[in-house]
Amino acid sequence: MRAAVCTAALAFCASAVAAEQGGIIPLPASVAPGSGGFEVNSATTIVAAAGDAVKAGRYLAQLWKRSNGLVLRVEAHTPGARGSVIIFRKAPGFGLEAYRLEVAPNQVTISASTAAGLFYGAVSLWQLLPAGIKDGRIPAQTIIDEPRFAWRGLMLDSSRHFQSPAFVRSMIDWMSWHKLNVLHWHLTDDQGWRLQIRRYPRLTTVGGWRIPAGIPGVPAEKPYGGFYTQDQVRDIVAFAATRHVQIVPEIDMPGHAQAAVAAYPALGTATGDRPPKLVVSSKWGVHTHLFNLEPNTFRFLENVLDEVLQLFPSRYIHVGGDEAVKDEWNASPGVQARARELGIANTEALQSYFTQEIGRHLAARGRRLVGWDEILQPGLPSDAVVMSWRGVDGARAAARIGNDTVLAPQPILYFDRRQSSLASEPTGRMEIVTVEDVYRFEPVDPLLSKDQQRHVLGLQGNLWSEHMPNEARVEWMALPRAAALAEVAWSSAPRNWPDFISRLAAMQPRYRAFGVTSADSLFGIDAHIARAGEAIGVTLANLPELTGAGLDTRIRYTLDGREPTTSAASYTEPLTVAAGTSIHAATFLGKEQVSRTWSEHLDAHSAARRSSSELELCSNRVGLLLEPVAREGEFSSDAPIAVDIMNPCWIYRGVDLQQGPGIVAAVAALPFNYELGADAASIQVGDARSPDGELEVRLDRCDGTLLGLLPLAPAANRAGVTQLPAQRLPVQSGRHDVCLKFARPRLDPMWGLEWVEIGG
């Protein structure tokens, strides 16, 4: 006999509840199955008397119209004719975001004390009906639900790459489907100032634009940038309120200030007798330019914040505080004189003074300062919120001294990391953070007492956009990891990974209905192609986090050029096929295709060719997947290049060199637009034999016998990928590893290997 109720206090009964839950993400706090079911069809009426209930009812109707093609009426009273009704009603006794959803034959009732509760009840009911179904049956059940944490957020970096107001609205919309309620909006940095400040127009006319990093010899492109007008921001903030999402703006200080100082040089830290003369940076990394500590600079920042407060009603205002390298402050006579005037002994204490001054200004206006964990210094205002990004230690330390905190630790909640090892991953950091990694993150710190744990407001995922040049990339990197984050932040029920996968699969058609790009990495296909005598061998696999879940997943494939369906052959063992065959494959969960179709025309080239993602990096000090073009904001038809920017070098394992095979490689000149400080001196350059350098081919080790040199001259001063002229390698006995590394005359450009083919 199945349990009547599943709650956080009981073991999760996945098999009993799966049908009743449908695809609800995040998992409700408790679900009690009932008898029968509620039939939804065009005769169903949504009943909402007034105000917040009407808004929630109309939103439910909008959702079902888009995802199911179902058109429902919203009325103020129950219609006279008999039929199924969905009732929204306000009732006392619920928490701020809590709701009760009762599904019975002929009637669904959503009850809550607040507009947010009614809204979340509507979202959960929407998810109980599978996408694409106009006439469907929702199993009878009672859901009682409320969040685990108050702060459930995502950070959007609009400084490194600008997103349109329409995209920001869309992101807020899909955040709300997952009951995420905070958008932390990173609006200023070294690479761009994105918020119109009427008192200081140069912040956007100058600070909002940069010249993109380019390749030496390739003409500079037009300026890249953009900014949000105050009217656009007010519109976005008002829209977010309808989705119960609070926008927390970030104006970064005292570091990450280069765009502001480029606009107003007097704000910068002079190490000589003149203010610094800067441009908006096109480089990624930690810059050294800080705001100075003069009274006029504080007056400027306070005036900026006053305009920010007029635009954003949020109680929380983020002021950054991270990565403030003190080199300029230490070298500046003006800053040192100011420190002596203030009686401050060192520059770390100067940042504490800076934070305290800004915090006092915000507190006087009824707002709370939020900053990255570097603000956690003596004298921190007691009402300041510490956002812990360098692991969880900052959150633990803040909670212990009585400051509220938000968990946003790297790497686990940094969504600029790739989601899998698949070659289909787009640009980003090489470090892998899977959906399962996010799902298994535990925000409750056992080293904190219960009173201290109350200071943990919640958690958020961070979308740093250096390598997200357009909006589709932002969505890919966010979803479905944001769905996993939402469940951790909202649901108090025990984690159940296989059940989450099933509900996530049910969300995919909803994403598609709204035009949202969700990564299919979890369900993607890992393909390996190799020679098999005169034929081609193909090995297909899903990722371990999917295969280990024990679900009814399988790879289906075709060899006749057609798209795979449920009637296609099921992959069970490696395939051996004739050269010239085209294979198409996709992952299915039950009867539903849950991955994009992978396809390949199999020939000698595909058997011998390896992309940079399929090769092994010689080292991975700063591993990145980079766009092999020099155009910002555009997709490339070429695959991203996997490269360690500290050591552009790759290993091709187990190559048959017995026949003296030919080698051909495709390379791209990449701008070296990175601020690495003293670490840049450790990068090997100056070892080239020609003005443009060479791709070295070495035996077994990267200091092994030199087998060949592929001059880079054909690719020099060119954007995009260039195939170098083929060469033949000397005969060697047996199989060997081959090291491919660039010898280059200078740091910029950096060279990337897009693919190499040996013996094709």
Side-chain angles (χ1 to χ4, degrees):
M1 182 177 179
R2 66 186 182 184
V5 180
C6 299
T7 70
L10 302 174
F12 177 67
C13 40
S15 61
V17 178
E20 285 79 11
Q21 287 170 190
I24 295 181
I25 297 177
L27 183 69
S30 74
V31 181
S35 298
F38 178 82
E39 299 294 336
V40 182
N41 52 52
S42 58
T44 302
T45 303
I46 297 173
V47 177
D52 296 332
V54 172
K55 293 176 183 177
R58 287 175 177 167
Y59 187 57
L60 173 63
Q62 292 173 22
L63 291 171
W64 267 338
K65 183 177 181 180
R66 286 285 299 274
S67 64
N68 296 69
L70 180 63
V71 178
L72 300 183
R73 302 183 309 279
V74 180
E75 299 188 1
H77 303 285
T78 303
R82 298 183 62 183
S84 59
V85 294
I86 299 170
I87 299 173
F88 285 83
R89 68 183 188 93
K90 271 196 168 181
F94 292 91
L96 289 177
E97 297 176 291
Y99 67 92
R100 179 185 180 96
L101 170 57
E102 299 171 271
V103 180
N106 298 323
Q107 183 169 305
V108 173
T109 305
I110 297 173
S111 306
S113 299
T114 65
L118 291 170
F119 180 88
Y120 292 140
V123 169
S124 290
L125 180 58
W126 169 56
Q127 294 178 7
L128 284 174
L129 184 67
I133 296 176
K134 282 189 177 182
D135 298 335
R137 186 173 185 270
I138 299 175
Q141 59 196 285
T142 299
I143 294 173
I144 300 175
D145 203 9
E146 63 182 349
R148 183 186 190 190
F149 289 101
W151 187 300
R152 307 179 303 279
L154 290 177
M155 187 220 71
L156 176 64
D157 172 13
S158 294
S159 178
R160 275 53 176 262
H161 282 101
F162 178 76
Q163 302 88 28
S164 69
F167 174 82
V168 179
R169 288 169 60 103
S170 173
M171 180 174 172
I172 290 166
D173 208 13
W174 60 251
M175 283 177 63
S176 72
W177 306 341
H178 301 85
K179 303 181 177 72
L180 295 169
N181 66 347
V182 177
L183 175 61
H184 167 189
W185 203 358
H186 188 81
L187 289 164
T188 73
D189 215 297
D190 301 298
Q191 297 81 12
W193 184 288
R194 303 291 175 224
L195 178 64
Q196 180 189 27
I197 301 297
R198 291 199 168 111
R199 187 161 183 167
Y200 303 108
R202 287 176 59 85
L203 285 174
T204 47
T205 59
V206 174
W209 304 89
R210 64 175 181 259
I211 300 299
I215 299 167
V218 176
E221 296 186 26
K222 62 182 181 181
Y224 172 88
F227 62 91
Y228 304 99
T229 69
Q230 293 199 0
D231 286 343
Q232 288 171 330
V233 169
R234 288 190 181 93
D235 177 72
I236 290 169
V237 168
F239 177 78
T242 69
R243 301 298 187 259
H244 304 281
V245 172
Q246 175 183 202
I247 299 182
V248 176
E250 180 180 354
I251 307 297
D252 215 339
M253 60 184 83
H256 292 287
Q258 185 162 332
V261 176
Y264 293 97
L267 302 172
T269 301
T271 55
D273 58 357
R274 295 181 181 179
K277 187 175 182 180
L278 303 175
V279 297
V280 180
S281 180
S282 62
K283 294 184 177 182
W284 313 134
V286 179
H287 294 57
T288 60
H289 303 294
L290 309 184
F291 289 114
N292 63 46
L293 291 102
E294 295 302 314
N296 283 344
T297 298
F298 278 105
R299 192 171 300 112
F300 165 87
L301 292 171
E302 289 167 357
N303 290 337
V304 166
L305 289 172
D306 285 346
E307 289 198 34
V308 170
L309 301 187
Q310 293 173 11
L311 297 171
F312 296 94
S314 169
R315 187 183 178 194
Y316 302 99
I317 303 296
H318 205 300
V319 299
D322 61 311
E323 299 177 325
V325 179
K326 307 302 190 301
D327 294 355
E328 284 189 344
W329 281 2
N330 287 324
S332 170
V335 169
Q336 294 303 310
R338 182 71 172 144
R340 289 191 295 272
E341 180 183 333
L342 295 168
I344 296 174
N346 59 70
T347 49
E348 292 303 324
L350 273 179
Q351 184 171 351
S352 295
Y353 163 77
F354 191 106
T355 303
Q356 291 166 29
E357 287 294 294
I358 297 299
R360 277 191 283 270
H361 184 81
L362 292 175
R365 287 151 180 78
R367 309 298 181 93
R368 294 182 66 181
L369 178 147
V370 184
W372 300 106
D373 55 45
E374 287 94 332
I375 70 170
L376 192 56
Q377 298 290 339
L380 181 69
S382 60
D383 68 339
V385 179
V386 175
M387 189 165 279
S388 186
W389 74 275
R390 297 177 298 178
V392 300
D393 291 347
R396 183 180 298 145
R400 282 175 171 168
I401 64 172
N403 281 85
D404 287 344
T405 185
V406 175
L407 288 160
Q410 70 163 344
I412 196 71
L413 297 184
Y414 268 50
F415 294 169
D416 56 348
R417 273 64 174 175
R418 59 179 176 160
Q419 301 184 62
S420 74
S421 58
L422 298 177
S424 57
E425 292 292 350
T427 52
R429 294 182 182 268
M430 286 289 289
E431 189 173 17
I432 296 173
V433 175
T434 67
V435 180
E436 185 177 12
D437 290 335
V438 177
Y439 188 74
R440 296 194 185 281
F441 175 69
E442 179 46 61
V444 175
D445 188 342
L447 299 181
L448 295 178
S449 68
K450 288 187 176 180
D451 285 341
Q452 292 167 342
Q453 286 174 1
R454 292 190 183 97
H455 287 291
V456 180
L457 301 179
L459 58 159
Q460 73 176 32
N462 296 320
L463 289 157
W464 298 108
S465 69
E466 287 96 331
H467 306 293
M468 303 178 200
N470 53 46
E471 296 163 358
R473 293 278 178 88
V474 176
E475 289 179 340
W476 175 285
M477 300 300 274
L479 293 167
R481 289 184 291 198
L485 171 81
E487 185 139 318
V488 174
W490 177 280
S491 179
S492 55
R495 306 278 83 80
N496 186 293
W497 173 240
D499 179 72
F500 177 77
I501 294 175
S502 297
R503 288 180 282 119
L504 184 59
M507 282 296 294
Q508 301 304 311
R510 298 188 183 103
Y511 296 147
R512 290 193 294 270
F514 282 82
V516 175
T517 303
S518 174
D520 67 343
S521 307
L522 174 62
F523 305 106
I525 293 175
D526 190 12
H528 294 274
I529 303 168
R531 288 184 180 275
E534 296 300 316
I536 308 294
V538 181
T539 302
L540 305 177
N542 288 127
L543 298 177
E545 51 263 38
L546 180 65
T547 56
L551 298 169
D552 179 23
T553 56
R554 62 190 65 198
I555 296 172
R556 295 188 178 275
Y557 69 93
T558 64
L559 301 176
D560 57 6
R562 293 185 298 177
E563 284 289 308
T565 64
T566 53
S567 61
S570 180
Y571 176 85
T572 57
E573 60 184 15
L575 305 172
T576 301
V577 301
T581 301
S582 290
I583 182 171
H584 292 69
T587 303
F588 287 77
L589 176 57
K591 295 182 179 181
E592 297 297 323
Q593 181 175 334
V594 289
S595 78
R596 293 166 177 83
T597 299
W598 170 85
S599 63
E600 183 77 22
H601 181 73
L602 302 170
D603 56 20
H605 295 288
S606 57
R609 182 172 294 184
R610 296 290 180 270
S611 71
S612 61
S613 295
E614 294 170 310
L615 299 172
E616 183 178 318
L617 293 180
C618 302
S619 58
N620 193 11
R621 293 172 62 189
V622 184
L624 298 173
L625 281 166
L626 296 178
E627 195 81 65
V629 290
R631 294 186 297 274
E632 296 207 52
E634 296 181 14
F635 273 114
S636 167
S637 59
D638 301 302
I641 292 175
V643 60
D644 178 358
I645 66 172
M646 304 296 293
N647 179 27
C649 175
W650 298 260
I651 301 289
Y652 190 157
R653 298 288 185 190
V655 183
D656 184 356
L657 300 176
Q658 295 182 89
Q659 304 300 319
I663 180 171
V664 62
V667 302
L670 303 170
F672 191 86
N673 58 322
Y674 305 98
E675 283 284 353
L676 299 176
D679 289 342
S682 67
I683 301 174
Q684 183 175 341
V685 294
D687 53 349
R689 300 160 182 81
S690 62
D692 298 307
E694 304 83 27
L695 176 62
E696 297 182 348
V697 185
R698 293 186 175 271
L699 184 68
D700 292 326
R701 305 183 313 275
C702 292
D703 59 354
T705 302
L706 184 66
L707 298 178
L709 287 172
L710 281 67
L712 298 174
N717 304 321
R718 294 183 62 183
V721 174
T722 300
Q723 181 175 316
L724 300 178
Q727 292 190 10
R728 186 163 294 279
L729 300 178
V731 173
Q732 305 290 325
S733 61
R735 291 183 175 272
H736 294 266
D737 295 339
V738 173
C739 175
L740 302 126
K741 58 183 294 191
F742 288 103
R744 49 184 171 149
R746 64 194 70 86
L747 200 59
D748 192 18
M750 176 177 66
W751 288 91
L753 178 66
E754 208 228 13
W755 56 260
V756 63
E757 184 180 313
I758 303 179

